[in-house]
Amino acid sequence: MNSIYSEEDLVKLAQLHLPGYGFAKTADSGASAVTAAAPPPIVCASTRRIVLISPYPNLLHELIRDLSAACYDVMVFHRADDYVLHSLQADLYLIDGSAADMLGSDPGFRTFTSDPSKLSRAVLLDDRHKEGKAFRTGFDSEGMPTVAPAAALEFVQDWLLRHPAADEADPGILGFKDLILDTKRMAVFRGGSPIDLTKTEYELLLSFIGAEGAVQTRDHLMATIWDAPFFGNSNVVDVHVKSLRRKLGDNALAPMYIETVRGVGYRLAD
């Protein structure tokens, strides 16, 4: 892939954020001209976050460089099963469609595509999209738009102009691992499949996810969900957590979602 920015382009880009960047008075005429000296670092007035998922990011290094030069925060993940990837918000996800076979065998990718908040912001990078090869090998495109890497920068700039920032897009969608909570509809999905929870079970799960890993004591859960004090011999919380775990397919001995903190309460599992 050819470089997207020339040195002159980078100077013009910098001027959008630093007026007067790259210009100085000449000794003879006093006119403004581009200096030959090394330019000062660019300070971006604002940024948008872009995540790139590729087993071979070295093949996309020019795109990564040019996105960074255009004042985008670029985060690179080699696999889609990284916990950090599923817990963070990004404005756009760029997926290496040329590595479809490898990504398609990654269980984390199925989790990724089951999250509507991420899937709606995902784009495939693939030079072969006209032939559809990536879609027939490792995974289904799931309706994601596809763009060649050489045209990705222009596509990204246009897409982000037309879409709000991730933290403004849909505050009603929460997620943890392969669990998705749609708080507007009080609906819960695991790996894209709905889970039928009672109102109390839903509120328990919402409380755990909202705490972001902090321990939720039995006293706190009783007060916030049942609006009642907790008594030491009461097993109300434990009974409902057990039912919630069963519906999530979780195992208390090897928890994936809800971990017991002995003598205290519960928290999200690592």
Side-chain angles (χ1 to χ4, degrees):
M1 184 179 72
N2 295 328
S3 175
I4 297 173
Y5 282 119
S6 66
E7 291 299 324
E8 183 179 356
D9 290 333
L10 290 173
V11 170
K12 291 179 180 179
L13 177 65
Q15 289 176 331
L16 295 175
H17 304 280
L18 290 177
Y21 168 92
F23 287 84
K25 299 290 184 178
T26 62
D28 296 331
S29 62
S32 295
V34 177
T35 65
I42 297 175
V43 178
C44 299
S46 61
T47 63
R48 302 285 292 274
R49 178 182 291 167
I50 296 175
V51 165
L52 172 68
I53 305 173
S54 172
Y56 314 111
N58 58 303
L59 301 180
L60 297 167
H61 69 93
E62 291 183 348
L63 174 61
I64 296 170
R65 180 200 63 196
D66 291 333
L67 287 169
S68 299
C71 284
Y72 298 117
D73 288 331
V74 183
M75 301 182 68
V76 179
F77 292 85
H78 290 76
R79 295 176 54 85
D81 63 356
D82 193 298
Y83 172 74
V84 175
L85 171 62
H86 296 289
S87 62
L88 63 79
Q89 281 188 323
D91 294 299
L92 190 62
Y93 299 87
L94 301 178
I95 300 168
D96 187 355
S98 66
D101 287 325
M102 184 170 293
L103 288 177
S105 64
D106 181 353
F109 191 79
R110 291 190 292 274
T111 300
F112 179 91
T113 56
S114 70
D115 184 340
S117 65
K118 288 182 169 56
L119 188 59
S120 64
R121 293 174 172 270
V123 175
L124 285 175
L125 296 174
D126 198 345
D127 283 317
R128 309 168 300 167
H129 65 283
K130 292 182 180 179
E131 303 172 25
K133 293 180 181 178
F135 305 160
R136 294 197 297 265
T137 52
F139 53 80
D140 185 3
S141 67
E142 302 285 354
M144 287 182 275
T146 308
V147 63
L153 180 62
E154 183 178 355
F155 177 92
V156 167
Q157 291 171 328
D158 179 67
W159 195 95
L160 291 177
L161 284 175
R162 294 182 288 105
H163 292 79
D167 55 5
E168 301 173 359
D170 192 353
I173 300 293
L174 299 175
F176 176 65
K177 297 184 177 178
D178 61 347
L179 297 178
I180 301 298
L181 274 73
D182 184 340
T183 60
K184 294 179 180 177
R185 296 188 297 157
M186 291 184 65
V188 179
F189 302 86
R190 180 190 178 193
S193 300
I195 300 176
D196 185 20
L197 300 181
T198 66
K199 181 176 182 293
T200 300
E201 292 163 352
Y202 170 83
E203 290 178 347
L204 276 171
L205 182 58
L206 183 63
S207 180
F208 293 141
I209 291 179
E212 299 181 338
V215 176
Q216 299 288 279
T217 66
R218 291 177 175 85
D219 303 67
H220 173 77
L221 293 171
M222 283 294 297
T224 56
I225 295 177
W226 282 272
D227 193 23
F230 174 73
F231 299 99
N233 60 349
S234 173
N235 66 345
V236 172
V237 176
D238 301 318
V239 168
H240 282 83
V241 169
K242 181 178 180 180
S243 177
L244 173 60
R245 277 174 165 158
R246 178 177 55 80
K247 292 183 179 181
L248 296 178
D250 205 5
N251 184 341
L253 298 179
M256 180 178 179
Y257 304 114
I258 303 170
E259 178 183 338
T260 301
V261 181
R262 293 190 178 278
V264 182
Y266 301 91
R267 65 182 292 272
L268 290 179
D270 294 328

